[in-house]
Amino acid sequence: MDKTKLWTKDFISISLSNFFLFLTFYFLLVTLPNFALQEFHSSASEAGLMTTVFLISAIISRPIAGKWLERAGHQKILLTALIIFFAGSLFYFFPKTISGMLTIRFLHGIGFGMATTAAGTIVADIIPNSRRGEGMGYFIMSANLAMVLGPFIGITAMNQWGPEVLFTLSIIGALASLIAGLFVKIEKREQPKQEVAYSTFSFRNYFETSAVPISLIGAFFALVYSSILSFVNVYANEVHLSAVSSLFFVVYAVVLLISRPFTGKLFDFRGPNVIVFPSIVLFAIGMFLLSNSGTAGTFLFSAGLIGLGWGTLFPTFQTIALQDAPPKKRGLATATFLSIFDTGIGLGSFVVGLLVAKIGFSSFYFLSSFYILIGIVLYYFLHIRKKEPVKEYKERIN
């Protein structure tokens, strides 16, 4: 078997499973807050809990799933997670109160958190070492494509046919993710016997410390990215560009899809730094243009730059987190990265809401472009400078 082959059956299967997992996630992410307002006559803050509760349960479950991956096996955890996620999707028809719906969201978030951790770990083992940057880029592209299709399909289903059709689509998406996951076959590995059971909580038992610095950098940028996810459509309406607002993530994904083969291979041949610095600058320019969007052309051009900038940074950071961790700790590294990143997204949505109320969207996006550039300094001190002493030590002992 060709050890450098990327597009294997297992890689395609795990990528498809990830695509349907995120497709279902986005179906519900953009529609459930509005559903809560209309169906349960809830307040805006209660409707916002539809997303918050889901993310909290995902964040809580990831470190635990990362630890289980070391002990129980990758495929077993993946299938368990996808079954929980599928089961959770079956219950959306039944709640008659907002508290009942939030309970379902918490259950669904557990399955999502476990599944994303398992899938990210499995794909890191499947991808050949020489093509890790390229492979992780394509894998994460599956979630990016779901981000484009999910909101569009979800909103259309909700507006045209109602919540019953939306929930049915969610069941189909979750089932498709589970079926694709069944086709992933992971080679069994000998587990180290010296590992003992942990009776007390320790940070190192549930988080991979080598992944923390790059995860914090990712969370730093996630604060700004959350403003795109949560508010770009609202901003488009404010600047009278609602006619093209639905195209924002389409352009974002198209640019990402075109650039992915080049950026992934560049990572593998030249390392992450040659990718990270230009991407940060492109992300900042994209936010600057977004803040000054007076025409459809400027608005969509900013989407392309943000897609090229942030869309390249995210898989690069996740790949760094996996590369810096020992092979047996990749599960924990994936859990650590995604948990800290999602914390940045959740915190960002809250903080952005407060700031926008005071300074407006345009001013926020303008200031964000300068905030992003500070990330260059953060990346240097938390990643590049931190790794230099390790590199010098290895050179001395070799």
Side-chain angles (χ1 to χ4, degrees):
M1 183 178 174
D2 186 355
K3 297 286 187 182
T4 63
K5 187 177 180 183
L6 177 60
W7 294 99
T8 61
K9 176 183 72 68
D10 290 333
F11 180 76
I12 293 170
S13 297
I14 195 67
S15 297
L16 281 174
S17 181
N18 195 59
F19 169 75
F20 286 114
L21 181 72
F22 274 90
L23 192 68
T24 306
F25 167 71
Y26 283 113
F27 282 163
L28 300 171
L29 178 72
V30 298
T31 53
L32 283 185
N34 192 47
F35 171 78
L37 290 170
Q38 294 179 355
E39 188 73 16
F40 303 125
H41 307 291
S42 62
S43 65
S45 59
E46 288 175 330
L49 287 174
M50 290 289 183
T51 300
T52 304
V53 167
F54 184 93
L55 285 177
I56 287 173
S57 66
I59 290 167
I60 292 171
S61 66
R62 277 182 177 137
I64 299 170
K67 194 63 195 170
W68 284 347
L69 282 165
E70 293 181 20
R71 301 178 179 182
H74 297 170
Q75 191 172 27
K76 188 181 294 185
I77 297 300
L78 174 68
L79 294 180
T80 300
L82 292 176
I83 289 170
I84 293 172
F85 188 75
F86 172 67
S89 67
L90 295 173
F91 291 113
Y92 281 103
F93 291 97
F94 304 113
K96 302 299 180 185
T97 63
I98 186 72
S99 58
M101 184 61 80
L102 290 176
T103 302
I104 302 305
R105 288 299 280 165
F106 190 85
L107 171 65
H108 218 193
I110 291 172
F112 182 78
M114 290 178 62
T116 48
T117 300
T121 305
I122 288 169
V123 81
D125 286 340
I126 290 172
I127 297 170
N129 289 333
S130 62
R131 302 183 70 178
R132 181 150 291 153
E134 182 186 3
M136 285 300 296
Y138 281 123
F139 173 72
I140 292 169
M141 172 63 72
S142 65
N144 293 140
L145 292 176
M147 182 182 66
V148 176
L149 294 173
F152 175 76
I153 296 172
I155 291 171
T156 301
M158 188 72 173
N159 292 342
Q160 297 292 327
W161 303 295
E164 289 78 14
V165 172
L166 172 69
F167 297 151
T168 301
L169 287 175
S170 299
I171 292 171
I172 294 170
L175 180 61
S177 180
L178 175 57
I179 292 171
L182 290 171
F183 286 93
V184 181
K185 303 299 178 187
I186 309 299
E187 292 180 8
K188 291 185 179 178
R189 300 182 179 182
E190 290 292 327
Q191 295 297 323
K193 298 199 176 185
Q194 69 268 23
E195 193 169 333
V196 295
Y198 299 98
S199 57
T200 58
F201 176 84
S202 167
F203 183 86
R204 288 178 180 271
N205 291 349
Y206 293 92
F207 293 88
E208 172 52 37
T209 53
S210 68
V212 170
I214 199 67
S215 303
L216 291 173
I217 297 168
F220 177 86
F221 290 107
L223 289 169
V224 174
Y225 180 60
S226 69
S227 70
I228 301 295
L229 277 178
S230 302
F231 298 111
V232 74
N233 286 337
V234 180
Y235 174 63
N237 292 334
E238 187 179 279
V239 294
H240 311 293
L241 293 172
S242 56
V244 295
S245 63
S246 61
L247 295 176
F248 185 92
F249 286 112
V250 174
V251 173
Y252 177 105
V254 168
V255 170
L256 201 54
L257 186 62
I258 294 171
S259 66
R260 178 59 64 223
F262 307 103
T263 55
K265 287 178 180 176
L266 196 58
F267 178 101
D268 291 326
F269 285 112
R270 300 287 301 278
N273 297 343
V274 74
I275 296 290
V276 169
F277 290 119
S279 296
I280 292 174
V281 173
L282 288 170
F283 188 16
I285 295 172
M287 294 302 294
F288 178 80
L289 289 177
L290 182 63
S291 72
N292 291 279
S293 293
T295 65
T298 306
F299 182 75
L300 295 179
F301 185 55
S302 73
L305 290 178
I306 292 168
L308 189 57
W310 172 248
T312 301
L313 284 173
F314 179 78
T316 300
F317 291 157
Q318 187 169 352
T319 305
I320 290 171
L322 290 166
Q323 283 188 335
D324 288 350
K328 69 175 183 178
K329 295 287 186 181
R330 283 175 185 162
L332 281 182
T334 303
T336 300
F337 179 81
L338 293 176
S339 293
I340 294 176
F341 173 79
D342 276 350
T343 301
I345 290 284
L347 223 94
S349 297
F350 177 73
V351 172
V352 170
L354 294 177
L355 289 175
V356 163
K358 294 183 178 296
I359 64 176
F361 285 108
S362 183
S363 296
F364 175 81
Y365 287 141
F366 174 76
L367 293 172
S368 293
S369 62
F370 296 98
Y371 171 90
I372 290 167
L373 292 175
I374 297 172
I376 293 175
V377 179
L378 193 68
Y379 178 75
Y380 174 77
F381 281 102
L382 286 185
H383 181 68
I384 297 177
R385 190 172 178 181
K386 186 174 180 296
K387 288 180 74 69
E388 282 176 353
V390 177
K391 182 179 178 182
E392 289 172 2
Y393 172 74
K394 286 181 177 178
E395 287 175 350
R396 285 201 305 272
I397 65 174
N398 288 335

